[in-house]
Structure formats: C-alpha cells, structure tokens
Amino acid sequence: MAQGLTPIRRVVTGQDARGRSRIVWDGPAPNIHDYAAQKTPHGSGRGWTDLWVFDECPAPLSGDSDDGNKSYPFPAAATGAHLRIVQYQAPRPGYDPAQDPDVVPPHAPKKRAVGQTWDRGGRDSFSSGIHKTESVDYGILMEGERTLILDDRELLMRPGDVVVQLGNWHGWRAATDCRMAFVMIGASYDAGSPAAAGHPPITPAKVPEGVKPVRRIVTVANANDKSTAISDGGAPEVRTDPARPGFASACIWVTDATPAPIKGIHETLHLPHTLEPPARGSVCRVVTLPPDEVWKRRVGAREVRAYFEAMGSPGASTYSTQAPHPYMQKTRTLEFCLVLEGEITLVLDTEDLRLNAGDVVVQRGTNHAWSNLSGRPAVVAISSHDAQ
C-alpha cells in the first residue's frame, strides 16, 4: 500500500421526484483522516475514511446532506452508528521499535477524555493500543492481513473474515498492508442479561458447493473483564435459494435494541434470520451471489416469492415482469454494502452500476437488486439498520 490513504469509492442511493431509485453520489468518499499527511502522532501511514453516520435509530433515509461528513462521538452516538474503513501499513524492513516516537507503553486502564472509550496503552507506529469501546462492532477485513489482539490470544484475520466485538478490550497489528471496514453501533454496558457462566458450542452451517464459508469471530469480556473469543469458525446460520444454485446468505449477528445490549450476550441465533433487522436494531450478513447466467432463465414469480418468504421478508419483494431484475426489493432500512470479492451490478429503477471489490454502497431504502453479470461468484457484506 502506497503512502497515504487509498481512495474509497462510495455510492449513495436515493429517490427521484417520482420515487424511483437512483444514484445520488458516486465517487471517492470525501471524509478522509490521513495521519501521515497530517503529521499527527498516531503512526505512520495509518488513517481512516468515514463513509456514513447516523445518530438516531430508526435511521433517517431522506435528506440532501452527505452524512458521511457528519460528526459523531467515538465510537458512536448511543442511539446511532457509523461506517468507517481503516487503513494500516505493516512494519517496513529495518523498523526499530526502540526508535519509534509513537510508542505508548502499556498502562493501567483509563477513560479517554472524549467518547465512550477506555485505553491501556501498548501503541506503536504499526499497532493500535489496547482499548475498548461501548459499542457493538462489525469488523470486516477487506484487504491484506491483520492480527486481532485479545487478552488470551491473537487471531490472524484474512480478507472476508468478520469479527463481532461486544465492548471488550482488544488491539490491532498489521500483518501486511491492509484495509478493514467497521460498523460501530452505539451500545450499553448496563443493558443485557447477567453475565453468562458459559456459552453453547457453535456448529458451522453447511454451505452450497462452490461457496466459501464465512469465518465469523465473536469476542466478549469475561467476568474479570478480560477479552476472549467465544466463537471462531464458519457462520452458524446460512440460508440458500434453491432457484439460484451457489447463492448463500450467511447471518453474522443481529442487534434488537438501541443502544445495543452487551452484558451477557454470547449469541443471537435465537433472533430471526431476515433481510430486515428487528425494530431499532441491525443485522449483518455476508451474501454470495452466483452468476445470473446460472439461473436467470429458470426464475419467475413463484421462485422469487419462495425466496423472500424463506428469508422472512415476503413484503420486501417488488417483483414484476416489467422490473429490470426478478429479485428487485425494497425495505425500510439503511444498508452499508461492501463488495468483498468479484464484480457485481447494482440494479436500480433508473440505472445500473457496475461495482468491484473494495467499492461501498450506502443504500437508503431504495428499490434495488444485485445482478452478477460476471462468470464467477461475487461476495457482498451487508450491515442493515432499521430506518424511517
């Protein structure tokens, strides 16, 4: 990764005067925080790009402002969330930690002056300090390799891996130059059930032939406030579509309140796997989409209806023989969509837009479908939030 931050292509959807879905913005996300360029003491070649912010849930879907430029208290408003992509450089040959001016030795926990964040030090130019935030985080590695540091272990993450962090201590170290997306959702340490004594074993779900399993890591704080991973393996719930061989929707996590509860939460499999999140909640999914050529001549109203019913969202379908794609859908949700692998086309009422790995779509309750016109599967991570 070259010096400076790689621009992030961000597409934001909206509606025209006739209520038809359209593109509002398409270009590099403007809200860039480049530590190297600003010469601030947070490490060489690091920084992040903010892509969207909301501070109330249900999240607003209308408006002309670019909410990627909206300020927020880190990690997020108690009733909101934000999407950012962080970029790190790995240590270069000859790096000497003893000569690093950004080193902060480990220290006793202390609350940062701003926001709901606590710090234990341990930072250098290529590693974050050990910290925790009062938030539920969906962390999705998009490029490169990054090491997640917990109190009892270190986990190397690779592209496509997803971690759900429930307000626990952790740190990061770049194994290679990397980019990672974070959806940080306002949460409460006081909300939830009493700390559980244990957690049930998780069995990864079977995935269709040709579909790569999604690695899901879940981290929590134990009774002594030490961080640990209680789950690390294939996503335990995966839905398929018989009409589309090679389609898979892996449910990663669900929140069902705002602020999101943290205390005693070890799993959300009891909550329904749907396209739409619970009221005042969110759902994170990773979707594998096979090439349209595999299925398009065999799908009609019956097959589409069966899919949306199986996903628990029968009202989401906007199927019509006149529609530009059979799987057109519209939900009252704000969705952060990250293209992880392959090429995918976003189909709207007024236009189609080709997207590549690394591109991000902020979907504001608009009628749309995902069309794979390439010859290989595409993978899209979607964080969907209750909206109005």
Side-chain angles (χ1 to χ4, degrees), residues 119-146:
D119 188 85
R120 292 189 346 210
R123 188 186 76 201
D124 61 38
S125 286
F126 301 99
S127 302
S128 75
I130 303 298
H131 62 284
K132 68 176 182 179
T133 57
E134 195 169 20
S135 59
V136 170
D137 303 343
Y138 303 146
I140 304 158
L141 192 61
M142 301 180 71
E143 177 185 353
E145 296 182 348
R146 201 175 189 205

Short mmCIF file of all heavy atoms in Angstrom, two decimals, residues 119-146:
data_model
loop_
_atom_site.label_atom_id
_atom_site.label_comp_id
_atom_site.label_asym_id
_atom_site.label_seq_id
_atom_site.Cartn_x
_atom_site.Cartn_y
_atom_site.Cartn_z
N ASP A 119 -8.60 2.98 27.48
CA ASP A 119 -7.31 2.69 26.86
C ASP A 119 -6.36 2.06 27.86
O ASP A 119 -6.37 2.43 29.04
CB ASP A 119 -6.72 3.99 26.29
CG ASP A 119 -5.49 3.75 25.46
OD1 ASP A 119 -5.64 3.46 24.26
OD2 ASP A 119 -4.39 3.84 26.01
N ARG A 120 -5.51 1.12 27.39
CA ARG A 120 -4.48 0.51 28.23
C ARG A 120 -3.09 0.67 27.64
O ARG A 120 -2.15 0.00 28.08
CB ARG A 120 -4.77 -0.99 28.42
CG ARG A 120 -6.00 -1.26 29.24
CD ARG A 120 -6.23 -2.70 29.65
NE ARG A 120 -5.46 -3.71 28.98
CZ ARG A 120 -5.90 -4.96 28.77
NH1 ARG A 120 -7.12 -5.30 29.15
NH2 ARG A 120 -5.12 -5.85 28.19
N GLY A 121 -2.93 1.54 26.64
CA GLY A 121 -1.62 1.74 26.05
C GLY A 121 -1.20 0.58 25.17
O GLY A 121 -2.01 -0.23 24.72
N GLY A 122 0.12 0.51 24.89
CA GLY A 122 0.64 -0.55 24.04
C GLY A 122 0.69 -0.19 22.57
O GLY A 122 0.84 -1.07 21.72
N ARG A 123 0.62 1.10 22.25
CA ARG A 123 0.59 1.54 20.85
C ARG A 123 2.00 1.73 20.32
O ARG A 123 2.94 2.08 21.05
CB ARG A 123 -0.16 2.87 20.75
CG ARG A 123 -0.44 3.35 19.34
CD ARG A 123 -1.06 4.73 19.35
NE ARG A 123 -0.05 5.75 19.63
CZ ARG A 123 -0.33 6.97 20.08
NH1 ARG A 123 -1.56 7.29 20.37
NH2 ARG A 123 0.65 7.84 20.27
N ASP A 124 2.17 1.51 19.00
CA ASP A 124 3.37 1.95 18.30
C ASP A 124 2.94 2.38 16.90
O ASP A 124 1.74 2.50 16.62
CB ASP A 124 4.46 0.86 18.26
CG ASP A 124 4.03 -0.41 17.54
OD1 ASP A 124 3.31 -0.32 16.51
OD2 ASP A 124 4.42 -1.51 17.98
N SER A 125 3.90 2.63 16.02
CA SER A 125 3.56 3.16 14.71
C SER A 125 2.77 2.20 13.84
O SER A 125 2.17 2.63 12.84
CB SER A 125 4.84 3.58 13.97
OG SER A 125 5.36 4.78 14.50
N PHE A 126 2.77 0.93 14.18
CA PHE A 126 2.10 -0.04 13.33
C PHE A 126 1.09 -0.90 14.08
O PHE A 126 0.57 -1.87 13.54
CB PHE A 126 3.15 -0.93 12.64
CG PHE A 126 4.12 -0.14 11.81
CD1 PHE A 126 5.37 0.19 12.31
CD2 PHE A 126 3.77 0.31 10.55
CE1 PHE A 126 6.26 0.94 11.55
CE2 PHE A 126 4.65 1.06 9.79
CZ PHE A 126 5.89 1.38 10.29
N SER A 127 0.83 -0.54 15.33
CA SER A 127 -0.14 -1.27 16.14
C SER A 127 -0.98 -0.27 16.91
O SER A 127 -0.48 0.77 17.36
CB SER A 127 0.56 -2.21 17.15
OG SER A 127 1.38 -3.13 16.50
N SER A 128 -2.25 -0.59 17.07
CA SER A 128 -3.10 0.24 17.92
C SER A 128 -2.82 -0.07 19.38
O SER A 128 -2.26 -1.12 19.71
CB SER A 128 -4.58 -0.02 17.61
OG SER A 128 -4.98 -1.27 18.17
N GLY A 129 -3.21 0.82 20.28
CA GLY A 129 -3.19 0.49 21.69
C GLY A 129 -4.30 -0.47 22.03
O GLY A 129 -5.25 -0.67 21.27
N ILE A 130 -4.20 -1.11 23.20
CA ILE A 130 -5.28 -1.96 23.69
C ILE A 130 -6.38 -1.04 24.20
O ILE A 130 -6.14 -0.17 25.04
CB ILE A 130 -4.79 -2.90 24.81
CG1 ILE A 130 -3.63 -3.76 24.30
CG2 ILE A 130 -5.93 -3.77 25.31
CD1 ILE A 130 -3.98 -4.66 23.14
N HIS A 131 -7.60 -1.23 23.71
CA HIS A 131 -8.69 -0.32 24.04
C HIS A 131 -10.02 -1.07 24.01
O HIS A 131 -10.09 -2.21 23.53
CB HIS A 131 -8.73 0.85 23.05
CG HIS A 131 -8.99 0.41 21.63
ND1 HIS A 131 -8.03 -0.19 20.85
CD2 HIS A 131 -10.11 0.48 20.86
CE1 HIS A 131 -8.53 -0.47 19.65
NE2 HIS A 131 -9.79 -0.09 19.63
N LYS A 132 -11.04 -0.45 24.55
CA LYS A 132 -12.39 -0.98 24.42
C LYS A 132 -13.34 0.19 24.25
O LYS A 132 -13.07 1.31 24.71
CB LYS A 132 -12.79 -1.84 25.62
CG LYS A 132 -12.95 -1.08 26.93
CD LYS A 132 -13.45 -2.04 28.04
CE LYS A 132 -13.67 -1.28 29.36
NZ LYS A 132 -14.18 -2.20 30.42
N THR A 133 -14.45 -0.06 23.56
CA THR A 133 -15.45 0.97 23.31
C THR A 133 -16.83 0.44 23.68
O THR A 133 -17.10 -0.76 23.56
CB THR A 133 -15.45 1.37 21.82
OG1 THR A 133 -15.68 0.21 21.00
CG2 THR A 133 -14.11 2.01 21.43
N GLU A 134 -17.68 1.34 24.14
CA GLU A 134 -19.05 0.94 24.48
C GLU A 134 -19.87 0.87 23.20
O GLU A 134 -20.66 1.75 22.87
CB GLU A 134 -19.66 1.94 25.47
CG GLU A 134 -20.92 1.41 26.14
CD GLU A 134 -21.37 2.28 27.31
OE1 GLU A 134 -20.97 3.46 27.38
OE2 GLU A 134 -22.14 1.77 28.16
N SER A 135 -19.62 -0.21 22.46
CA SER A 135 -20.25 -0.37 21.16
C SER A 135 -20.26 -1.84 20.77
O SER A 135 -19.49 -2.65 21.30
CB SER A 135 -19.51 0.45 20.09
OG SER A 135 -18.16 0.04 19.99
N VAL A 136 -21.14 -2.18 19.84
CA VAL A 136 -21.11 -3.46 19.15
C VAL A 136 -20.52 -3.17 17.78
O VAL A 136 -21.03 -2.33 17.04
CB VAL A 136 -22.51 -4.08 19.02
CG1 VAL A 136 -22.47 -5.29 18.09
CG2 VAL A 136 -23.05 -4.48 20.39
N ASP A 137 -19.43 -3.85 17.45
CA ASP A 137 -18.71 -3.57 16.20
C ASP A 137 -18.77 -4.76 15.26
O ASP A 137 -18.53 -5.91 15.67
CB ASP A 137 -17.24 -3.27 16.49
CG ASP A 137 -17.04 -2.11 17.45
OD1 ASP A 137 -17.99 -1.33 17.64
OD2 ASP A 137 -15.93 -1.99 18.02
N TYR A 138 -19.09 -4.48 13.99
CA TYR A 138 -18.92 -5.46 12.93
C TYR A 138 -17.65 -5.09 12.18
O TYR A 138 -17.59 -4.06 11.50
CB TYR A 138 -20.10 -5.43 11.95
CG TYR A 138 -21.47 -5.65 12.58
CD1 TYR A 138 -22.59 -5.00 12.07
CD2 TYR A 138 -21.65 -6.51 13.65
CE1 TYR A 138 -23.85 -5.20 12.61
CE2 TYR A 138 -22.91 -6.73 14.20
CZ TYR A 138 -24.01 -6.06 13.68
OH TYR A 138 -25.27 -6.25 14.22
N GLY A 139 -16.59 -5.88 12.33
CA GLY A 139 -15.32 -5.62 11.67
C GLY A 139 -15.11 -6.58 10.52
O GLY A 139 -15.11 -7.80 10.71
N ILE A 140 -14.94 -6.05 9.30
CA ILE A 140 -14.88 -6.87 8.09
C ILE A 140 -13.56 -6.57 7.38
O ILE A 140 -13.33 -5.45 6.93
CB ILE A 140 -16.06 -6.54 7.16
CG1 ILE A 140 -17.40 -6.72 7.91
CG2 ILE A 140 -16.02 -7.41 5.91
CD1 ILE A 140 -18.55 -5.95 7.32
N LEU A 141 -12.68 -7.57 7.31
CA LEU A 141 -11.39 -7.36 6.66
C LEU A 141 -11.58 -7.41 5.14
O LEU A 141 -12.06 -8.41 4.60
CB LEU A 141 -10.37 -8.40 7.10
CG LEU A 141 -8.93 -8.09 6.70
CD1 LEU A 141 -8.46 -6.78 7.34
CD2 LEU A 141 -7.99 -9.21 7.11
N MET A 142 -11.19 -6.33 4.47
CA MET A 142 -11.41 -6.21 3.04
C MET A 142 -10.16 -6.54 2.23
O MET A 142 -10.27 -7.03 1.10
CB MET A 142 -11.88 -4.79 2.71
CG MET A 142 -13.16 -4.39 3.41
SD MET A 142 -13.69 -2.71 3.02
CE MET A 142 -14.22 -2.90 1.31
N GLU A 143 -9.00 -6.26 2.78
CA GLU A 143 -7.76 -6.44 2.02
C GLU A 143 -6.60 -6.63 2.99
O GLU A 143 -6.52 -5.97 4.03
CB GLU A 143 -7.51 -5.19 1.16
CG GLU A 143 -6.22 -5.20 0.37
CD GLU A 143 -5.99 -3.88 -0.36
OE1 GLU A 143 -6.88 -3.01 -0.37
OE2 GLU A 143 -4.88 -3.72 -0.92
N GLY A 144 -5.68 -7.55 2.65
CA GLY A 144 -4.49 -7.77 3.47
C GLY A 144 -4.77 -8.67 4.66
O GLY A 144 -5.79 -9.36 4.73
N GLU A 145 -3.84 -8.64 5.63
CA GLU A 145 -3.96 -9.45 6.84
C GLU A 145 -3.74 -8.57 8.06
O GLU A 145 -2.89 -7.68 8.06
CB GLU A 145 -2.94 -10.60 6.83
CG GLU A 145 -3.16 -11.59 5.70
CD GLU A 145 -2.18 -12.74 5.74
OE1 GLU A 145 -1.20 -12.66 6.50
OE2 GLU A 145 -2.40 -13.73 5.01
N ARG A 146 -4.51 -8.85 9.10
CA ARG A 146 -4.45 -8.03 10.31
C ARG A 146 -4.62 -8.95 11.52
O ARG A 146 -5.44 -9.87 11.50
CB ARG A 146 -5.55 -6.98 10.28
CG ARG A 146 -5.28 -5.78 11.19
CD ARG A 146 -6.36 -4.73 11.00
NE ARG A 146 -6.00 -3.49 11.70
CZ ARG A 146 -6.88 -2.60 12.13
NH1 ARG A 146 -8.16 -2.78 11.92
NH2 ARG A 146 -6.48 -1.51 12.75
#
